[in-house]
Amino acid sequence: MSTMQNGVGEDMSNATGAATRILQEANQMRQERQQHMRQRRTLDITDQFIDASQRLKPGVLIKDESFTLFEAVGALEIMDDKMDSGYVPPGDTFEADFDPSQDLSPQQAIWIMDELLRLEMLFHAGYPLSQNVFTSLHIFRLIDPENRNPYPFDFGHNVGHKQPLVHTVLHAYCIAVLKCCDLALRCIQSQIYFEEEDFVTSLFGRELCIQLGPQEALTLLTDAITWLEESTLDRAFVEQITLRLSIRKEMLFCFDEPLPLAQDYWARLRVELVNLKLQPQSDEECHKAFSDKVQRQLATSTPPRPMPRLALKDALEQWLQMCDDAIAAQQLSCTDFVRHPISLLTSTWKFGYRLPEPVTLARAKMQESLTWEEGGDYDGGATELLLADIREKVLPGDWIAERDSFSIEMPTDKRHKTSRIFLDFMSQGLGDYINLYRMVCQNRSRMRRMLTQATILWDELESKAKDFDQELNNIAARSFRCGHAPLGPLALWTKLQKLQICEWTVQVGFETDIFQADELGIMYELLGWFAGRRRMHLEAIQYQLHVWPGAESYQPIFRARMKASRAWKERELSLCTATQLLAEASSLLYRYLQSCELIERRDRKTYFKVEEQYEARMKPFLGMQSDVIPRADKLYASAIGRSSHVPFDSTRSAISRCVAEAKKCLETLKASPDEEGKKPLKPLFVVCIAVSTTLARLDQIRRSHSVNEHKSSSAASLKRYAEVIIQPPGAKRHDDWWIVPEVRAKK
């Protein structure tokens, strides 16, 4: 026992000694540091830094492993009022000194409501909440992390008198604003969108009054309207405030319901907004109720964005435009369009190309209307849309694609077996099919990226469709043929969709201006190749309908479907042929301009490599197992040693022939009774005229300067007299998908 006590005593003595020694060392270090601090002074090393940097060769970078680019940029941002949202200038306060619970005049309350409506539109335009809605000190008080239901304005403050205009009316309005933002965020985040590009969904560490739902917000608005009607306020003010509260109620209905169930909410909201637009603006402003200082208290690692100046009248115009977009999308979600997927796809493209471009919420609502009934089994919605598409395009008069076949429960019945095969196929292709509609609702750059990703997915689906077709052929005891290759209805339908996607990929590439000038001829040649392949398969399907219509086609309903399907295929054949011919004409025109050196040719640069260029541009199509695109030695013929001389006379004849035949195809389409189908034809006629004009202008310049193409110097001589202008994307182009070069004589 005594030995143990001695051991414990020694340990305690050692511990005490160690603690004393550490304390002494700490005091010594503190004294040395204080002495060093007294001796430290500021030294300007700017000249030394500049001298050292001048000794570095271009491209040389000196970097410390522990001081990365993030730290470097962060150091530049500190104390910069444009980059550092937490910077407090000298003489300023950290927080705004406005109290949201204080009394307001009716004019001030009206102005605050209008200002919130204006700022909310900036949020829908894609700017962060921290720079618009959250700058309202009333809103900022509601989203305080410590504030709880019912989220009062006087949270954390002792307020004796509570003005109902602020604590009942304005409070209800602000709660409704937050719930509208919350519903918009939920809708957008449930669909395909792209963060930062389309929308900013960050809440910066705050919550949008999650303990209250849309119904509670509606109740608060109703109570506020009731108080106004019973109040002693001037009737003019009561009417103005009531109108703004009614607008909020309609917004909650619009944002909360999917478009197919929204009834006439958006139309009513538009009427209310028009009434608000006709009213005079409040002349008693209350700017102190808004402050950018709130950003100092929000969790963010990104600097504030430059904000556009948006007047209230312009914001109201944008709100009205959103209503128009939502109403247009709502019309597409009716059951009639679901029964006609071809019309739905055409209308979806029309919606995606509305001007001005629909805001993200309207595009999300459009996507929502396409997918809100999506289910795994055959119960309508997206599955019915997919089945109707297959039926209209490849099986218009066949019992295996009829809806009644899916209600057969007898396992031995052929219709039951084929319906199970169809359901298995549709379950695998439903997502990719719906994305054909949803991708049109994206911005152009993202649309093209989604199209490039879809090509391989549809090629894989085509290989799976062949297996399903084999099962269908075995059960139905029939066979389909496309040319010399046996293809069933599902494989034919999938191939048609894939080739259409390939065409769109190239065409949207022209619209987004991703191709260099010397690549346009190559890409138009590729576009013509895809259009020709699709035309070939359309002809094969049309042949099947004539040769083997099926016994059921003699019934009236099937005869009507066969007639409609043939009409669609004839229209698509004409469009495919016109596209192929115009693409061929454009390709020939660009190749001639390149041969004359009117367009710079990168293939003559030392850094140019055909293989790398081919792989970069054709990457979306290189993985396809069927419909393999032409090789590089064909598309880039002039870059690998073939003759680059292109005679003008033969080129002019070929282009003129293509344009003339394309016009005939378009004239055939123009004779159709479908008025909506005629609208896209007008730009194509203009493109035909523009190509002919460019060709005539070239001929005129050649003749006026006696350019002889048989001489070796003809290219250089034409370059002296003419120049080519390729218009950027915008209003000066005849069509976004058809870039026609302009030839002008040099002055």
Side-chain angles (χ1 to χ4, degrees):
M1 178 68 72
S2 61
T3 304
M4 293 179 62
Q5 290 177 349
N6 292 336
V8 172
E10 291 177 1
D11 292 341
M12 292 181 63
S13 177
N14 293 335
T16 303
T20 303
R21 186 173 63 256
I22 292 174
L23 182 61
Q24 292 175 351
E25 292 176 355
N27 291 332
Q28 183 179 358
M29 292 176 62
R30 188 179 296 109
Q31 293 174 1
E32 292 176 354
R33 183 180 180 185
Q34 291 176 353
Q35 184 179 3
H36 177 70
M37 290 288 291
R38 288 193 294 269
Q39 297 176 353
R40 191 172 66 177
R41 61 188 178 87
T42 303
L43 179 64
D44 188 355
I45 62 169
T46 303
D47 294 336
Q48 299 177 21
F49 182 81
I50 294 175
D51 180 63
S53 63
Q54 290 176 348
R55 299 182 184 182
L56 295 176
K57 296 181 180 180
V60 177
L61 174 68
I62 296 179
K63 173 182 170 296
D64 187 84
E65 293 183 359
S66 60
F67 193 74
T68 64
L69 178 63
F70 182 82
E71 283 82 9
V73 175
L76 295 175
E77 293 176 357
I78 295 175
M79 305 302 288
D80 183 348
D81 56 350
K82 294 182 179 179
M83 304 292 288
D84 187 356
S85 59
Y87 171 68
V88 181
D92 196 5
T93 59
F94 181 75
E95 296 183 6
D97 55 2
F98 177 81
D99 183 8
S101 61
Q102 72 182 42
D103 294 351
L104 297 172
S105 66
Q107 297 95 321
Q108 289 177 324
I110 292 172
W111 186 88
I112 290 174
M113 292 179 182
D114 291 344
E115 183 69 4
L116 282 171
L117 187 67
R118 183 187 72 85
L119 293 174
E120 189 178 358
M121 178 44 65
L122 288 173
F123 165 63
H124 286 293
Y127 294 92
L129 281 167
S130 61
Q131 293 182 250
N132 40 67
V133 176
F134 283 2
T135 60
S136 166
L137 297 178
H138 291 92
I139 294 288
F140 200 67
R141 178 66 61 83
L142 295 178
I143 62 174
D144 189 292
E146 301 298 326
N147 205 347
R148 294 291 183 270
N149 191 14
Y151 303 100
F153 281 150
D154 58 346
F155 163 74
H157 298 73
N158 294 322
V159 179
H161 169 70
K162 292 186 178 181
Q163 185 190 31
L165 180 62
V166 173
H167 294 272
T168 299
V169 178
L170 186 58
H171 177 264
Y173 188 87
C174 291
I175 289 289
V177 169
L178 288 175
K179 298 321 296 180
C180 284
C181 294
D182 185 32
L183 292 171
L185 283 170
R186 291 175 185 271
C187 177
I188 292 170
Q189 290 176 315
S190 66
Q191 305 300 326
I192 296 178
Y193 79 103
F194 295 93
E195 185 73 24
E196 299 293 336
E197 288 185 26
D198 296 326
F199 211 70
V200 179
T201 60
S202 175
L203 297 180
F204 306 95
R206 301 302 171 101
E207 294 177 339
L208 304 181
C209 300
I210 59 174
Q211 296 178 356
L212 282 177
Q215 290 300 323
E216 288 84 350
L218 286 171
T219 301
L220 292 175
L221 290 172
T222 302
D223 294 342
I225 293 175
T226 301
W227 180 86
L228 283 171
E229 293 174 349
E230 298 174 354
S231 68
T232 58
L233 292 177
D234 186 275
R235 288 296 94 186
F237 293 146
V238 170
E239 292 178 359
Q240 293 182 43
I241 298 175
T242 301
L243 174 60
R244 287 157 176 80
L245 296 177
S246 299
I247 288 175
R248 274 297 148 194
K249 291 181 67 175
E250 296 298 340
M251 283 186 179
L252 285 172
F253 286 127
C254 292
F255 291 3
D256 192 28
E257 294 288 352
L259 281 182
L261 302 178
Q263 301 176 11
D264 58 345
Y265 296 148
W266 286 97
R268 295 208 308 254
L269 174 60
R270 195 186 191 286
V271 172
E272 299 278 16
L273 288 170
V274 170
N275 293 334
L276 177 61
K277 186 180 178 182
L278 297 176
Q279 287 191 356
Q281 299 181 18
S282 175
D283 55 359
E284 189 172 346
E285 300 178 352
C286 189
H287 292 284
K288 59 184 179 180
F290 297 82
S291 175
D292 292 334
K293 295 181 181 180
V294 300
Q295 298 174 20
R296 300 169 183 170
Q297 305 176 53
L298 297 174
T300 178
S301 59
T302 58
R305 294 185 178 186
M307 294 290 290
R309 294 183 179 180
L310 183 67
L312 177 60
K313 62 177 183 179
D314 297 327
L316 288 173
E317 286 294 337
Q318 294 184 22
W319 277 110
L320 291 172
Q321 183 62 43
M322 180 193 289
C323 292
D324 292 337
D325 294 335
I327 292 171
Q330 190 176 25
Q331 293 173 351
L332 301 179
S333 62
C334 63
T335 55
D336 185 58
F337 275 105
V338 173
R339 298 191 189 100
H340 300 88
I342 297 174
S343 301
L344 176 60
L345 184 60
T346 302
S347 301
T348 305
W349 275 89
K350 184 179 178 181
F351 173 82
Y353 277 76
R354 286 174 63 90
L355 293 176
E357 183 178 348
V359 296
T360 307
L361 178 61
R363 289 185 274 138
K365 284 291 184 181
M366 178 64 192
Q367 295 182 63
E368 184 184 50
S369 67
L370 296 170
T371 59
W372 73 284
E373 279 189 345
E374 185 172 348
D377 201 356
Y378 181 79
D379 57 356
T383 310
E384 182 179 355
L385 185 68
L386 172 55
L387 180 62
D389 198 303
I390 297 173
R391 182 171 55 240
E392 287 188 17
K393 292 180 179 177
V394 294
L395 293 170
D398 201 308
W399 56 265
I400 64 176
E402 280 306 304
R403 183 173 183 176
D404 294 341
S405 299
F406 291 79
S407 60
I408 303 298
E409 299 181 0
M410 182 67 67
T412 57
D413 195 302
K414 288 184 178 181
R415 291 171 293 180
H416 175 80
K417 295 178 181 179
T418 56
S419 65
R420 297 306 102 183
I421 296 173
F422 262 85
L423 286 175
D424 290 342
F425 170 75
M426 290 190 293
S427 65
Q428 296 192 31
L430 183 60
D432 294 331
Y433 175 73
I434 291 299
N435 281 343
L436 292 180
Y437 299 86
R438 300 176 71 176
M439 67 178 61
V440 184
C441 300
Q442 311 304 317
N443 64 67
R444 297 295 178 270
S445 298
R446 287 295 178 176
M447 182 199 300
R448 184 185 179 276
R449 177 171 292 187
M450 293 179 69
L451 286 169
T452 59
Q453 296 169 350
T455 54
I456 303 301
L457 296 176
W458 279 88
D459 189 72
E460 294 174 354
L461 184 62
E462 181 185 348
S463 63
K464 297 177 183 178
K466 294 177 182 178
D467 298 332
F468 287 107
D469 281 331
Q470 185 62 41
E471 297 180 33
L472 284 177
N473 289 337
N474 293 336
I475 295 173
R478 63 178 66 148
S479 62
F480 296 80
R481 297 188 65 85
C482 178
H484 298 289
L487 285 177
L490 298 180
L492 272 175
W493 176 83
T494 309
K495 184 180 285 290
L496 275 182
Q497 303 286 11
K498 182 189 70 175
L499 292 173
Q500 178 68 85
I501 291 171
C502 292
E503 287 184 47
W504 288 338
T505 302
V506 179
Q507 289 170 318
V508 178
F510 293 131
E511 181 182 0
T512 52
D513 205 33
I514 68 170
F515 304 127
Q516 298 292 328
D518 63 335
E519 295 177 307
L520 294 176
I522 296 170
M523 299 312 297
Y524 274 117
E525 182 177 346
L526 182 65
L527 174 62
W529 187 85
F530 282 129
R533 297 283 295 181
R534 192 161 71 95
R535 178 178 59 82
M536 180 185 69
H537 286 86
L538 282 169
E539 290 173 347
I541 297 174
Q542 192 78 314
Y543 175 78
Q544 289 287 350
L545 294 180
H546 285 287
V547 174
W548 183 78
E552 291 78 16
S553 63
Y554 297 105
Q555 299 179 14
I557 184 173
F558 288 102
R559 284 200 297 268
R561 289 178 182 174
M562 292 280 288
K563 183 179 179 180
S565 181
R566 286 196 182 102
W568 173 79
K569 292 179 181 66
E570 290 173 359
R571 175 179 174 80
E572 285 298 303
L573 279 170
S574 297
L575 276 177
C576 276
T577 305
T579 300
Q580 183 181 7
L581 291 168
L582 280 179
E584 182 180 350
S586 300
S587 177
L588 290 171
L589 180 58
Y590 275 106
R591 288 188 181 277
Y592 177 77
L593 295 176
Q594 282 183 259
S595 70
C596 296
E597 299 182 5
L598 292 174
I599 294 179
E600 184 181 3
R601 295 177 54 173
R602 290 179 301 150
D603 58 326
R604 295 181 177 178
K605 303 292 184 181
T606 56
Y607 61 80
F608 184 85
K609 294 183 179 180
V610 175
E611 296 78 10
E612 294 179 357
Q613 183 73 9
Y614 179 81
E615 182 179 356
R617 285 297 179 228
M618 308 302 162
K619 186 176 181 180
F621 318 113
L622 293 179
M624 294 193 302
Q625 299 299 316
S626 62
D627 301 297
V628 180
I629 62 175
R631 300 190 307 271
D633 58 351
K634 181 178 180 181
L635 287 176
Y636 292 83
S638 61
I640 57 176
R642 294 188 183 180
S643 174
S644 60
H645 175 68
V646 179
F648 178 75
D649 292 336
S650 59
T651 301
R652 179 180 56 184
S653 300
I655 293 175
S656 300
R657 176 186 57 80
C658 290
V659 171
E661 293 181 5
K663 283 184 177 180
K664 290 181 180 179
C665 295
L666 297 176
E667 290 291 347
T668 303
L669 294 172
K670 191 176 180 181
S672 171
D674 183 13
E675 294 298 328
E676 286 295 323
K678 295 179 182 179
K679 293 181 180 179
L681 301 180
K682 184 177 180 180
L684 296 180
F685 278 109
V686 176
V687 169
C688 292
I689 296 173
V691 172
S692 300
T693 302
T694 299
L695 203 61
R697 188 61 176 158
L698 269 173
D699 190 26
Q700 180 184 1
I701 295 174
R702 291 179 70 260
R703 292 178 181 276
S704 61
H705 295 284
S706 301
V707 176
N708 188 351
E709 67 177 17
H710 297 291
K711 295 182 179 180
S712 59
S713 60
S714 62
S717 60
L718 185 60
K719 186 179 180 180
R720 289 199 302 266
Y721 305 126
E723 62 179 353
V724 170
I725 298 176
I726 298 177
Q727 297 291 353
K732 291 187 177 181
R733 283 188 180 178
H734 303 291
D735 187 83
D736 290 332
W737 289 2
W738 297 96
I739 307 174
V740 181
E742 296 182 15
V743 177
R744 298 178 184 176
K746 287 186 177 180
K747 296 181 180 179

